[in-house]
Amino acid sequence: MNHSNHVKSTAITAESIADSSVVASDAVARYALGLGDDALVLAHRLGEWITNAPELEEDVALGNIGLDLLGHARSLLTYAGTAWDRSEDDLAYFRDESEFRSRQLFELPNGDFAQTIARQLVSSTYFVELYRALSLSRDATLAAIAAKAFKEVSYHLDHSTQWLQRLGLGTEYSRERMQSGLTVVWPFVAELFSADPAADALDAVGFDGIAVGVESLRPAFDALVPRLIVAAGLTVPELPAARGGGRVGIHSEALGPMLAEMQVLARAHPGATW
Amino acid sequence: MTTAKTTTAETAVEQAEFDRLIESDSRVEPRDWMPEAYRKTLIRQISQHAHSEIIGMQPEGNWITRAPSLKRKAILMAKVQDEAGHGLYLYSAAQTLGIDRETMFEQLITGAAKYSSIFNYTTPTWADMGSIGWLVDGAAICNQVPLCRASYGPYGRAMTRICKEESFHQRQGFEILLELMRGTPAQRAMAQESVNRWYAPALMMFGPPDDDSPNSKQSMAWNIKRFSNDDLRQRFIDMLVPQAEVLGVTLPDPELKWNEARGHYDFGPLNWDEFYEVLAGRGQANAQRVAKRKKAHDDGAWVREAARAYADARMEERLAS
């Protein structure tokens, strides 16, 4: 592990990481890969909203949030790839479904706008806590990526909180849709805060202080999200947790078709650059 | 334009003031008096332009989920999102003339308002993202740069902002094609095939030849339009040829050649029957484009209604407290 060559935290991008001499260790790369996949899958889903949003302002807003997440994904995958001499695109386009390490929440289909907002509420809260903690990582590159991402996901949380309020307290119909959206995403909350084998592996080899133990973030989530839901006139769902398994390559049926579409052109021209 | 109003002495004074503004190439602002025909022309043009931005999101939005690299995916998402932003500024500019967004939306859906016919062409290949940027946005820039000086203030200012982003859009389109032309034989073929499809439709974006363009003369007299359709088309072709050489693509016009005497490229005739066919609704995707816009709007009705209800309730609370 080489911490001396770290990239400047003010303007960290996929390109600046690729151009630097930073090389992640295999263990750090595996951890970054999971985080990168989370951001990539959710970014792709938000990209699906563009041209379909309920108002033009939301085409812009959801597109912006998706772009921020795509930026995080590119940095994290580029960094992961330094360990294996693979580019962000090698990792995004030339791995199969079972090799993706994203948590299942992110691949959930968009559903209607309320379901997307429910997924955004949970995701953004999780990302805020994750990146806040990860910005203190002993790994300078992860810390820099997280510090930049933290500012952005804070805005994302604001966006979803405002829509939660509007839909929860808007009309009877919007309240029903918002409640139904929460019901769809809620079983996938538990997986977000369940152990990450890649993070545990880092600790096991004495790299503690690099990854974030997501189990420790749950209290902050529980202190915020149920309160927001209740304040929006809605009920916190009481549902059993889904089985999860995204971090070991087990996914819902939604991911395969999503990747098939995402990867189709790149795979039709292996070795090409774009 | 003669209406009943223009006979009153008061209106004659206002008309004279308006004419003075136009003559001195000054800006007309929303609170200024303006002839009804000027207002109508601007509403028609600005709303059509806004609709073009919004419908124009679709042919490119078609590739966001399949973009072949993460960098291209990010650029494409940003670009399509910019177009939504352009639509929003332009709708706002049109609103200053006394029309609301809902009415403009109805006009789009019912076909009462047009949008640029170019967006009724489909995007079957990735190279079309390059062609749209290079050719379609390139033509749009030629059209739009002079509009930054349009006599109506809010329109000119919106265009200044839009043109800055459009030149970035054109550059990214050029880069997509350049990357393809430097790539594999399959990529080069994809680029050339796409340029073959988009070239003539892009030239027709400037509108019919001057002799067949009924609205142009008045728009030029009002300092809304600064150059004629044919002048702009020529300017665009002159700009395009050297860029095509850099790319290594062939422009599909056997009559294209430099004319030393004119100092311009000569070019072959365009198929205006196709232009009028597409304009009349028989393009590749006219129905699809409008139907998709309508579906997004209809599907989102309950969301907008909820946001309104929420805002109204907050307002009432504030008034009560």
Side-chain angles (χ1 to χ4, degrees), chain B residues 36 57 84 87 156 165 177 246 252 258 270:
Chain B
E36 260 324 286
M57 294 165 68
E165 293 179 349
L177 292 174
V246 173
W258 178 250
L270 291 163

Side-chain angles (χ1 to χ4, degrees), chain B residues 179-229:
Chain B
E179 201 71 55
L180 292 174
M181 290 305 291
R182 287 174 177 171
T184 65
Q187 285 179 302
R188 284 199 292 280
M190 191 196 285
Q192 182 63 58
E193 185 277 335
S194 173
V195 169
N196 290 349
R197 273 185 289 115
W198 287 93
Y199 175 72
L203 294 189
M204 290 193 269
M205 284 173 68
F206 296 98
D210 296 344
D211 294 345
D212 305 325
S213 181
N215 299 319
S216 282
K217 222 169 260 162
Q218 179 64 72
S219 284
M220 287 177 77
W222 276 330
N223 295 346
I224 297 173
K225 198 174 163 71
R226 300 281 180 167
F227 301 98
S228 79
N229 295 353

Side-chain angles (χ1 to χ4, degrees), chain A residues 44 50-52 54 57 60 63-64 67 70 88-89 93 163 165-166 170 173-174 261-262 265 272-274, chain B residues 54 65-74 80-81 84 88 101 126 179 187 292 300 302-304 306 310:
Chain A
H44 183 97
I50 299 176
T51 71
N52 297 303
E57 285 81 351
V60 175
N64 249 329
L67 263 175
L70 188 53
E88 53 174 322
D89 291 333
Y93 291 94
W163 274 111
Q165 287 267 324
R166 289 189 195 111
Y173 184 73
S174 69
E261 185 174 356
M262 185 176 97
L265 177 60
T273 55
W274 303 93
Chain B
I54 300 308
T65 55
R66 293 177 292 166
S69 76
L70 296 185
K71 180 181 156 195
R72 292 287 167 214
K73 194 184 188 77
V80 177
Q81 193 207 32
L88 285 169
R101 219 161 109 182
W126 169 253
E179 201 71 55
Q187 285 179 302
K292 184 177 165 84
W302 66 270
V303 176
R304 296 189 303 277
Y310 178 79

Side-chain angles (χ1 to χ4, degrees), chain B residues 68-250:
Chain B
S69 76
L70 296 185
K71 180 181 156 195
R72 292 287 167 214
K73 194 184 188 77
I75 293 172
L76 190 60
M77 279 171 75
K79 178 172 194 269
V80 177
Q81 193 207 32
D82 280 349
E83 285 154 7
H86 296 175
L88 285 169
Y89 316 146
L90 288 163
Y91 282 130
S92 301
Q95 281 171 282
T96 63
L97 292 157
I99 185 168
D100 60 58
R101 219 161 109 182
E102 199 63 27
T103 306
M104 287 186 273
F105 176 78
E106 283 304 318
Q107 291 173 345
L108 171 64
I109 294 306
T110 57
K114 300 285 186 214
Y115 54 87
S116 177
S117 277
I118 194 78
F119 300 118
N120 291 318
Y121 290 85
T122 54
T123 51
T125 76
W126 169 253
D128 296 335
M129 301 304 96
S131 295
I132 288 185
W134 182 46
L135 296 171
V136 174
D137 294 332
I141 292 169
C142 284
N143 253 330
Q144 291 171 2
V145 166
L147 291 175
C148 298
R149 295 190 291 126
S151 54
Y152 188 58
Y155 189 32
R157 288 188 287 273
M159 291 315 306
T160 302
R161 196 162 161 188
I162 289 171
C163 283
K164 279 187 196 143
E165 293 179 349
E166 288 293 349
S167 61
F168 164 76
H169 293 175
Q170 196 205 8
R171 207 161 43 241
Q172 69 83 37
F174 184 86
E175 277 168 16
I176 286 175
L177 292 174
L178 191 62
E179 201 71 55
L180 292 174
M181 290 305 291
R182 287 174 177 171
T184 65
Q187 285 179 302
R188 284 199 292 280
M190 191 196 285
Q192 182 63 58
E193 185 277 335
S194 173
V195 169
N196 290 349
R197 273 185 289 115
W198 287 93
Y199 175 72
L203 294 189
M204 290 193 269
M205 284 173 68
F206 296 98
D210 296 344
D211 294 345
D212 305 325
S213 181
N215 299 319
S216 282
K217 222 169 260 162
Q218 179 64 72
S219 284
M220 287 177 77
W222 276 330
N223 295 346
I224 297 173
K225 198 174 163 71
R226 300 281 180 167
F227 301 98
S228 79
N229 295 353
D230 287 328
D231 285 349
L232 288 167
R233 191 167 11 251
Q234 182 70 61
R235 183 181 293 204
F236 180 55
I237 289 171
D238 291 346
M239 186 187 88
L240 223 48
V241 175
Q243 293 181 359
E245 282 163 9
V246 173
L247 285 173
V249 295
T250 308

